[in-house]
Amino acid sequence: SFPFVKLIIFNMPEQNLVINIIPFEAPVIEKTFAFTLEKKEGFKPISKWECLYAYKNLFEESDQDKQIQHLYTDFSENAEGAESIEVNLTKSIKFAKHYYAWLIYNHFKAIADITDANFIRDVELWFAAPDLDTELYKAYKTFTIKVQVAVNTDIPEMIISYDGISSVHNQSVLEMNVPTNKYTWVVYKNSLYHYENKPEEAEYNLDKVFPVLNNELKYIFNIPVKTSNPGINKYKTYKSELDNFITTYIKVDTFRAVIPVNGYDYLKVDKIKIKNTTPGSNLLQFGQKKTDISPYNGLIASKHGPYANSPHTHVTMFVICHESHKDKANTLFKYFRDGYKNFPKLNVLLNKPISISKDNITFKNIDNPLPEIKEALSIKELDSNVQYIAIYLSPVSKQEIDPVKHRFYYQIKEVLLKYEITSQVIDVTKIDKPDINLSLVNIGIAILAKLNGVPWRLHRVLREELVIGVGAFKPANSTCRYVGSAFCFSNNGQFKGFECYAQNDLQKLAASISKAIVGYRKQHTEISRLIIHFYKAMSKREFEVIANELKEMELDIPVIIVTINKTESKDLVIFDLNCPDLIPVSGTFIKTGFNQYLLCNNTRYEASLPKPSEGYPFPIKLKISSSHPQLLDNPELVKELIDQVYQFSRMYWKSVRQQNLPVTIKYPEMAAEIFPHFDKPHLEEFGKNNLWFL
């Protein structure tokens, strides 16, 4: 129940939703398979829990048997040194999934140009795309078939996904002068292997092992890394490629003879299974208690102003730039002072007078500005009653491939935090571009947030609950994934602070969550529940550490974990066949498994279509668990939790453009991307309560 006073519901379009799942009949009910305890050539390991029927038939219960974790099979009926056992595939569902995947893999082995050698996981198929080849590499269109049984229907199902374009270098690993730790995947004899798990035979034929080009290798070979173009309708491209693949390879007699897909098409989503977030859950609150669904309209076009101004009485801005870029700095400050096109004066946007200092910092060494900046800051007179914000005109663009130059960008931020100075980085090459006004709007919003103002907040009833987001980023050449946490928010989306640490430090994770609860309870005596948005499935060990910390605090409250994939879903995609753009209505969600959901988070509201500039993001995948599992039997609570994910994606203060991931995951990832480049292993106290990373 939300107190929306100006909510108008337009005609919700009738949706005709399908999902990229194709059901099929079980090709056989009972079949005999050969099993063995020891790994043999051509045999694949399968967990004993996935073929428990065979395991129980092979062994008598004993202490020694309990140590056995895997059985091996090549899915044949008889094999030398193996035991043949009949398996009912309708009862041994987990084993049946592997068998169906094996059938699909074997069928495509002679059809696809490259296949993944580990079909036990999923069946990955690569088809040559010669029109996209270059002198350096061969290009392939890639697809994945994942088998599941009776998840969305009563029979087996194939999730068929289009994974985009992959490329394989024309030179073998033996010919290259590249550190081998740069390789992730390689191709040998038309099969795909992880470099560290390639077959022994490949070790003697490295001239026939070719690396798949990851982003790091593309940088090394100066191959452009394609950035996402939000203006392109990915739904149309994805479905077109999928339709062509299914017509060419699935709906043909040769495949039907292996996997009976007769009469089945994309799985139609029953109307009763289509759910929507609460009407008005995309509403944002700005200044003067005004509301809008668009950050740009609410803050800029309608001139409602920010929800809350910066609390700092005195704010001074100064620039850090190369001495040859002083004219760029003057141009930028002119835009801040006078406005430019649709960008208002910065003082007007912030609703706060900003003093622009003439005491700026310039440097001479464009390749390594850090020593000069450190020296200048050490002698700069700073008033303790003033909050400073530094505008760093970076001579290094985001497209720069030299990691050393990027590191200076991060270290400059760290040095400024030491002096309790927040910062805004601007690519110096953008200042003279005619569309700089578009960037200025986003820059102004980020500056407001960094000055502890609130550009907008969620228009929702406040509850006594704490929301903590845990995200991660794995830097190149690092064995450790850094985690930004605990990013703390009240349930209306207002930022409360955060910390950073390495992934393997679970005690710090638990301690930071404990600290966040203590801080929250100082202002809110009661706390009804703890909600954690986690970037991956939380392990039992991770949950136990957090639960023990809460127990020590004598805090007996429900802990709800919402796992949010940090990338949009590409394996499961929903299409609205009634929409010319194929994109479902924003806020649509469906259940795809046990406590698993697919949430469409975009800007297709009511009968309107998204503008190309707003993008066509794919759905995001959610999984919900709780320390009190019975709570999740309540569909209203589940909907409230999904509402919250949907709403928190609207609290992104780096841009007026709608995001499809909530800030509870997005912000920690952004901080974790930068933190590993800092010299100190911990954040300055000022940095824990400031959005300097935006």
Side-chain angles (χ1 to χ4, degrees):
S1 57
F2 298 93
F4 299 125
V5 293
K6 293 185 67 178
L7 180 61
I8 301 174
I9 302 298
F10 296 95
N11 292 328
M12 185 64 71
E14 182 77 14
Q15 297 194 90
N16 180 14
L17 301 185
V18 297
I19 191 168
N20 57 319
I21 294 174
I22 296 183
F24 63 93
E25 300 291 343
V28 64
I29 302 301
E30 292 184 338
K31 185 170 171 49
T32 299
F33 298 95
F35 292 94
T36 180
L37 272 179
E38 297 179 356
K39 187 174 182 179
K40 297 178 60 176
E41 186 176 351
F43 279 57
K44 292 291 182 180
I46 297 180
S47 167
K48 70 177 183 181
W49 304 110
E50 295 182 311
C51 47
L52 199 57
Y53 179 81
Y55 172 77
K56 288 181 177 179
N57 276 270
L58 280 173
F59 309 104
E60 296 180 359
E61 191 68 26
S62 69
D63 292 337
Q64 182 180 359
D65 297 338
K66 291 178 182 178
Q67 304 303 315
I68 298 168
Q69 297 301 316
H70 292 90
L71 299 181
Y72 297 85
T73 183
D74 65 352
F75 298 101
S76 66
E77 290 192 11
N78 298 287
E80 186 178 348
E83 184 83 15
S84 295
I85 298 174
E86 187 175 69
V87 178
N88 186 314
L89 296 170
T90 62
K91 295 179 180 179
S92 300
I93 291 177
K94 292 182 178 179
F95 179 77
K97 286 168 51 179
H98 294 312
Y99 174 57
Y100 301 149
W102 178 80
L103 289 175
I104 295 169
Y105 170 81
N106 272 344
H107 171 77
F108 278 105
K109 182 68 177 172
I111 297 174
D113 293 290
I114 297 174
T115 52
D116 187 349
N118 186 11
F119 60 84
I120 289 293
R121 183 175 60 249
D122 294 320
V123 181
E124 194 167 335
L125 308 170
W126 294 27
F127 297 88
D131 53 324
L132 300 176
D133 289 350
T134 71
E135 292 182 357
L136 287 177
Y137 60 80
K138 288 183 174 65
Y140 298 85
K141 291 184 178 181
T142 62
F143 299 84
T144 298
I145 300 179
K146 178 179 181 179
V147 177
Q148 56 189 26
V149 178
V151 175
N152 296 279
T153 63
D154 296 328
I155 56 178
E157 306 161 357
M158 291 184 295
I159 300 175
I160 305 180
S161 58
Y162 171 59
D163 303 326
I165 306 297
S166 294
S167 47
V168 179
H169 206 285
N170 288 330
Q171 286 187 320
S172 70
V173 296
L174 201 60
E175 298 173 277
M176 290 183 171
N177 184 23
V178 174
T180 54
N181 62 356
K182 305 296 182 185
Y183 302 138
T184 306
W185 293 95
V186 293
V187 173
Y188 174 68
K189 286 190 174 180
N190 298 331
S191 289
L192 192 65
Y193 300 94
H194 197 282
Y195 180 75
E196 295 176 356
N197 296 323
K198 57 187 179 297
E200 183 179 357
E201 177 188 334
E203 295 288 353
Y204 298 97
N205 295 278
L206 292 175
D207 60 325
K208 294 181 177 63
V209 176
F210 300 90
V212 177
L213 292 175
N214 54 36
N215 283 349
E216 198 169 1
L217 287 174
K218 288 179 181 179
Y219 285 141
I220 291 173
F221 296 115
N222 201 25
I223 298 171
V225 177
K226 291 185 179 179
T227 56
S228 59
N229 185 344
I232 294 177
N233 188 334
K234 296 183 295 185
Y235 284 81
K236 288 186 175 181
T237 302
Y238 189 101
K239 189 168 184 297
S240 175
E241 294 289 351
L242 216 54
D243 288 348
N244 184 59
F245 173 80
I246 290 169
T247 300
T248 306
Y249 299 107
I250 302 298
K251 292 184 176 180
V252 293
D253 291 342
T254 52
F255 185 78
R256 288 188 179 119
V258 177
I259 300 292
V261 294
N262 298 320
Y264 293 106
D265 207 333
Y266 292 115
L267 183 64
K268 182 177 174 61
V269 183
D270 293 338
K271 289 184 180 180
I272 196 172
K273 294 182 179 180
I274 302 173
K275 308 296 181 183
N276 296 94
T277 52
T278 304
S281 55
N282 56 355
L283 209 58
L284 304 173
Q285 190 169 335
F286 299 87
Q288 309 171 63
K289 297 185 178 179
K290 301 292 185 180
T291 59
D292 205 297
I293 63 172
S294 164
Y296 178 82
N297 290 342
L299 198 62
I300 306 296
S302 300
K303 301 180 180 178
H304 296 325
Y307 173 78
N309 299 335
S310 169
H312 301 292
T313 306
H314 308 291
V315 178
T316 294
M317 177 183 290
F318 67 94
V319 74
I320 301 174
C321 68
H322 187 260
E323 57 184 7
S324 67
H325 294 151
K326 290 180 182 179
D327 58 329
K328 308 286 188 185
N330 291 333
T331 299
L332 179 65
F333 283 150
K334 181 178 183 299
Y335 294 153
F336 283 164
R337 185 184 67 244
D338 303 333
Y340 180 66
K341 295 183 180 179
N342 66 324
F343 173 71
K345 298 175 183 179
L346 185 62
N347 287 352
V348 173
L349 175 62
L350 272 58
N351 199 27
K352 169 78 64 175
I354 304 292
S355 172
I356 297 179
S357 174
K358 294 182 180 179
D359 183 20
N360 298 312
I361 295 175
T362 59
F363 52 86
K364 295 180 180 180
N365 188 343
I366 201 167
D367 294 321
N368 182 8
L370 194 59
E372 293 175 74
I373 293 173
K374 282 183 175 181
E375 175 64 24
L377 285 170
S378 69
I379 60 175
K380 188 175 179 63
E381 294 185 7
L382 300 173
D383 188 335
S384 60
N385 293 319
V386 174
Q387 175 59 57
Y388 294 90
I389 178 166
I391 305 297
Y392 174 50
L393 300 189
S394 175
V396 179
S397 72
K398 286 186 177 181
Q399 284 68 46
E400 173 60 55
I401 64 174
D402 186 347
V404 175
K405 291 181 179 179
H406 275 296
R407 184 172 170 81
F408 292 137
Y409 154 80
Y410 302 129
Q411 291 179 325
I412 289 168
K413 277 190 171 289
E414 182 184 20
V415 172
L416 289 166
L417 289 177
K418 175 184 175 183
Y419 292 93
E420 298 189 0
I421 299 172
T422 192
S423 57
Q424 177 66 41
V425 179
I426 300 175
D427 184 344
V428 72
T429 63
K430 291 185 176 181
I431 293 175
D432 291 332
K433 293 186 176 180
D435 62 350
I436 182 63
N437 56 299
L438 303 178
S439 296
L440 289 172
V441 170
N442 295 332
I443 288 167
I445 292 168
I447 287 175
L448 173 60
K450 291 172 182 180
L451 292 173
N452 303 109
V454 181
W456 57 83
R457 56 154 274 194
L458 298 175
H459 189 60
R460 65 178 293 166
V461 175
L462 282 169
R463 288 190 53 160
E464 299 297 318
E465 67 182 15
L466 184 63
V467 184
I468 294 178
V470 181
F473 183 86
K474 188 178 185 303
N477 300 323
S478 173
T479 57
C480 179
R481 184 182 294 273
Y482 279 81
V483 181
S485 188
F487 260 77
C488 304
F489 300 84
S490 59
N491 84 315
N492 68 350
Q494 289 191 251
F495 168 66
K496 297 294 182 183
F498 77 101
E499 294 190 27
C500 277
Y501 51 87
Q503 180 190 27
N504 54 11
D505 202 333
L506 290 179
Q507 295 301 328
K508 281 190 178 179
L509 166 60
S512 62
I513 290 175
S514 172
K515 182 180 177 182
I517 293 172
V518 170
Y520 187 82
R521 292 178 79 188
K522 286 180 181 179
Q523 299 177 356
H524 309 269
T525 54
E526 297 294 328
I527 177 170
S528 60
R529 64 191 182 195
L530 172 65
I531 298 174
I532 300 177
H533 288 179
F534 215 67
Y535 73 99
K536 67 176 182 66
M538 184 177 284
S539 68
K540 182 179 178 182
R541 178 167 168 257
E542 288 166 332
F543 183 81
E544 285 177 348
V545 172
I546 294 170
N548 290 337
E549 189 77 22
L550 295 177
K551 189 175 181 180
E552 288 186 13
M553 296 177 68
E554 298 182 348
L555 196 60
D556 185 20
I557 58 172
V559 180
I560 296 175
I561 311 293
V562 183
T563 301
I564 305 170
N565 278 34
K566 65 178 212 160
T567 56
E568 59 189 29
S569 174
K570 289 184 179 179
D571 57 345
L572 281 174
V573 180
I574 314 172
F575 304 97
D576 181 6
L577 300 185
N578 284 351
C579 173
D581 283 349
L582 299 175
I583 185 170
V585 172
S586 186
T588 300
F589 65 91
I590 64 171
K591 192 171 185 179
T592 57
F594 180 69
N595 287 335
Q596 296 180 53
Y597 302 87
L598 207 57
L599 170 64
C600 300
N601 195 358
N602 54 65
T603 57
R604 185 194 168 197
Y605 303 126
E606 290 91 31
S608 65
L609 292 177
K611 300 174 184 177
S613 60
E614 294 171 336
Y616 300 88
F618 284 159
I620 56 175
K621 294 164 76 171
L622 311 176
K623 184 175 182 180
I624 305 174
S625 58
S626 174
S627 60
H628 297 57
Q630 68 277 9
L631 291 176
L632 303 183
D633 295 333
N634 181 355
E636 289 303 314
L637 172 61
V638 170
K639 183 175 181 178
E640 185 181 341
L641 295 168
I642 294 175
D643 271 357
Q644 192 171 66
V645 173
Y646 183 70
Q647 291 177 306
F648 269 63
S649 69
R650 281 142 181 80
M651 292 303 295
Y652 187 69
W653 290 337
K654 190 177 179 179
S655 169
V656 292
R657 192 168 161 268
Q658 173 62 48
Q659 303 295 304
N660 67 324
L661 281 174
V663 292
T664 42
I665 296 298
K666 195 77 175 172
Y667 281 5
E669 181 184 3
M670 293 166 67
E673 181 178 0
I674 297 174
F675 180 66
H677 299 280
F678 284 6
D679 286 334
K680 291 185 177 180
H682 58 82
L683 274 176
E684 300 285 348
E685 203 62 35
F686 173 79
K688 296 177 182 179
N689 299 285
N690 188 270
L691 297 172
W692 50 268
F693 53 84
L694 290 179

